[in-house]
Amino acid sequence: GMGPARRQAIREALKRNPIAIIWTEPEKLSLIDYLDRIFEPLIANNADYVAPVRKDVSSYPEFQQKSEKMGNLFWEAVTGRSLDMFFGPRAWRSELSDYFLKYNGNKHDALHIPVLDIIYNNHRILPIEIDFQYPKEQREVEEKYAQEMIVKRLNQLYDLSKLTLDYWNKLNK
C-alpha cells in the first residue's frame, strides 16, 4: 500500500545517514531546480522541516486548483499554519523521520498527518515558495478522465480533512 511503501522509502533513505530527506513524486521532477533552496536551511540547521509552496497553481486542472485551495484553507483553520499541504513534496531533517515512521497511515495521510506532530512539537518550519509547473501531459490525462479525477480529489480532500481534524484534536486534548 501507499503508506507502508512511503515508510519503507524513508527507512531506505535513512540507511545512508542523511542530514535531510525530501519526499516527492515522479511527476514533480522539475522540483530538482529547487533542491538547493529546499535543502540549504535544513543542512545549515536553520529549519527542521521545509514546506515547498507553489507560487502559482494555474498549470493544474481547474478542479484540483480549487480542491487543494480548500484543503489548504482547512489545514490553516485547524492548525493556524499556512502551508501548501496539498502539494506533495516535503523535506525534513532526518531526526524528524520518526514522526513519519511511527504514524501508521495507509494513503496520502502517511505524509500529511505526521506534519501535525511536527507543528505540535514546535519544530522550526520554513515555507519556501517555488515556481512549479504541473506537467502538461499529466494535466491532459486528468482532464480526459475529469469525472473520475474529481471524485478522487473529493475523497482525498474529505479523508485528509477528517483525519487532520481528528488527529489535531487528539494532540490538543
Side-chain angles (χ1 to χ4, degrees), residues 18-136:
I19 294 170
I21 293 175
I22 187 167
W23 175 268
T24 190
E25 295 90 8
E27 70 271 12
K28 307 228 173 43
L29 267 178
S30 65
L31 197 68
I32 198 165
D33 298 336
Y34 302 96
L35 290 180
D36 289 342
R37 287 188 55 215
I38 292 169
F39 276 117
E40 187 278 322
L42 297 168
I43 292 169
N45 200 17
N46 293 325
D48 301 314
Y49 177 88
V50 170
V53 175
R54 295 166 288 189
K55 184 177 183 178
D56 178 30
V57 295
S58 63
S59 61
Y60 284 75
E62 184 180 4
F63 188 80
Q64 187 173 350
Q65 294 174 38
K66 292 177 180 179
S67 66
E68 291 184 2
K69 181 177 182 175
M70 286 188 336
N72 287 330
L73 287 170
F74 181 79
W75 176 273
E76 185 175 2
V78 171
T79 67
R81 298 298 302 254
S82 177
L83 298 174
D84 192 354
M85 288 303 297
F86 284 79
F87 185 40
R90 37 195 83 329
W92 61 89
R93 290 187 53 81
S94 291
E95 52 267 25
L96 269 62
S97 295
D98 276 349
Y99 291 120
F100 297 94
L101 295 174
K102 289 181 180 177
Y103 177 76
N104 200 26
N106 291 317
K107 291 188 178 183
H108 298 63
D109 59 317
L111 291 171
H112 194 95
I113 301 302
V115 179
L116 294 169
D117 285 311
I118 291 169
I119 292 170
Y120 181 78
N121 288 297
N122 295 311
H123 290 284
R124 299 167 300 160
I125 298 171
L126 179 64
I128 293 183
E129 188 174 78
I130 62 171
D131 191 19
F132 176 79
Q133 295 296 307
Y134 202 63
K136 181 182 176 213

Side-chain angles (χ1 to χ4, degrees), residues 3-20:
R6 289 175 175 187
R7 287 187 291 281
Q8 181 178 350
I10 293 167
R11 283 192 294 275
E12 290 299 317
L14 287 170
K15 289 179 181 178
R16 296 177 173 266
N17 297 314
I19 294 170

Side-chain angles (χ1 to χ4, degrees), residues 137-172:
E137 301 79 17
Q138 185 166 348
R139 179 182 176 145
E140 289 171 355
V141 168
E142 291 184 15
E143 288 174 339
K144 181 178 178 181
Y145 299 101
Q147 293 172 341
E148 293 88 346
M149 293 306 298
I150 289 171
V151 170
K152 175 186 173 190
R153 300 276 178 216
L154 284 171
N155 284 329
Q156 182 183 33
L157 177 62
Y158 175 78
D159 291 345
L160 286 174
S161 297
K162 178 83 172 101
L163 288 167
T164 297
L165 183 60
D166 291 349
Y167 197 86
W168 188 253
N169 286 339
K170 183 177 127 184
L171 285 173
N172 287 286

